[in-house]
Amino acid sequence: KIMLGIIISVIIGILGGLFFKNGFILENIDSFISLGLFLLLFFVGMDIGNNNEVFNQLRNMSKKILLLPIITILGSLIGGAIASYFISLSLGESIAISSGMGWYSFSAIELSKINAHLGGVAFLSNVLRELSAILFIPFIAKKIGSYESVATAGATAMDSVLPVINKSNPPDVAIIAFYSGLVITIIVPILVPSVVSLFKLI
């Protein structure tokens, strides 16, 4: 049901953008997105706070959870390295793109400094990661595991994808997702330039 609702919402949004253009909405779309995101995060917070057992459950969880963002980053970089063997990008370029962790605005701007093509690919790749996470997290959470569903979202686990994670998992997972996304978001601005420097892409 969640996945169907997400797909329908995206399709309606695309159709609205194509056939019902409104100057006011289009000019202020970033503000509307931010407002919607804030409302979603507010209700996620309400859901977490409403569950009295959440913090007790967190205290009893394994300290290995602290490693979740690091494992997510390593998995993403390894995935980027493997992808380089199947696409026309070099090993360094592919890893640099994957180091965006779903943060498409930052990675696209940073890699555009190398060339516009790489910046465009970074933008599309990280946007698709976020959209794929939104679509597949309900399935991953149900069939594979909660932490795997958090890792799928990368940096977006703390904001745009957090409501989907919260809806698809037990309430305590939302706090873990926020923590993981926050750590990854802090690391990405250091990681992307480091990968660029390491592979001498400039």
Side-chain angles (χ1 to χ4, degrees), residues 91-112:
L91 176 64
E93 289 172 334
S94 186
I95 293 177
I97 289 170
S98 67
S99 67
M101 304 292 155
W103 190 354
Y104 53 83
S105 55
F106 176 82
S107 58
I109 292 170
E110 192 68 21
L111 294 180
S112 290

Side-chain angles (χ1 to χ4, degrees), residues 4-202:
L4 180 61
I6 291 168
I7 293 171
I8 291 172
S9 298
V10 171
I11 291 173
I12 291 174
I14 292 171
L15 293 175
L18 286 172
F19 301 110
F20 302 101
K21 299 183 186 298
N22 182 290
F24 174 76
I25 292 176
L26 293 175
E27 288 172 8
N28 297 281
I29 196 162
D30 288 340
S31 298
F32 287 125
I33 290 172
S34 296
L35 178 61
L37 180 58
F38 294 150
L39 284 172
L40 283 171
L41 295 177
F42 171 76
F43 287 115
V44 168
M46 288 282 290
D47 189 35
I48 294 170
N50 187 50
N51 190 319
N52 296 325
E53 296 299 315
V54 167
F55 296 103
N56 289 329
Q57 291 169 352
L58 282 175
R59 279 195 291 269
N60 294 327
M61 283 183 180
S62 170
K63 297 297 186 291
K64 291 179 181 178
I65 289 171
L66 297 175
L67 296 175
L68 180 60
I70 305 304
I71 294 170
T72 300
I73 290 170
L74 290 175
S76 297
L77 296 180
I78 291 170
I82 293 171
S84 69
Y85 292 99
F86 302 96
I87 56 179
S88 59
L89 297 174
S90 69
L91 176 64
E93 289 172 334
S94 186
I95 293 177
I97 289 170
S98 67
S99 67
M101 304 292 155
W103 190 354
Y104 53 83
S105 55
F106 176 82
S107 58
I109 292 170
E110 192 68 21
L111 294 180
S112 290
K113 296 175 184 177
I114 300 171
N115 62 64
H117 172 71
L118 193 61
V121 175
F123 177 81
L124 289 174
S125 175
N126 285 285
V127 166
L128 286 173
R129 175 169 183 166
E130 181 175 349
L131 291 175
S132 297
I134 291 171
L135 289 174
F136 293 112
I137 277 175
F139 173 80
I140 294 171
K142 184 177 180 180
K143 300 294 185 181
I144 303 176
S146 295
Y147 301 150
E148 288 82 358
S149 71
V150 172
T152 303
T156 61
M158 69 170 286
D159 44 54
S160 57
V161 184
L162 182 56
V164 181
I165 293 172
N166 183 61
K167 190 71 175 177
S168 306
N169 291 287
D172 55 287
V173 176
I175 298 177
I176 296 168
F178 185 85
Y179 155 74
S180 179
L182 178 62
V183 172
I184 292 172
T185 299
I186 292 170
I187 291 176
V188 165
I190 302 169
L191 182 62
V192 174
S194 297
V195 172
V196 170
S197 177
L198 177 65
F199 288 95
K200 297 181 173 58
L201 298 179
I202 296 180

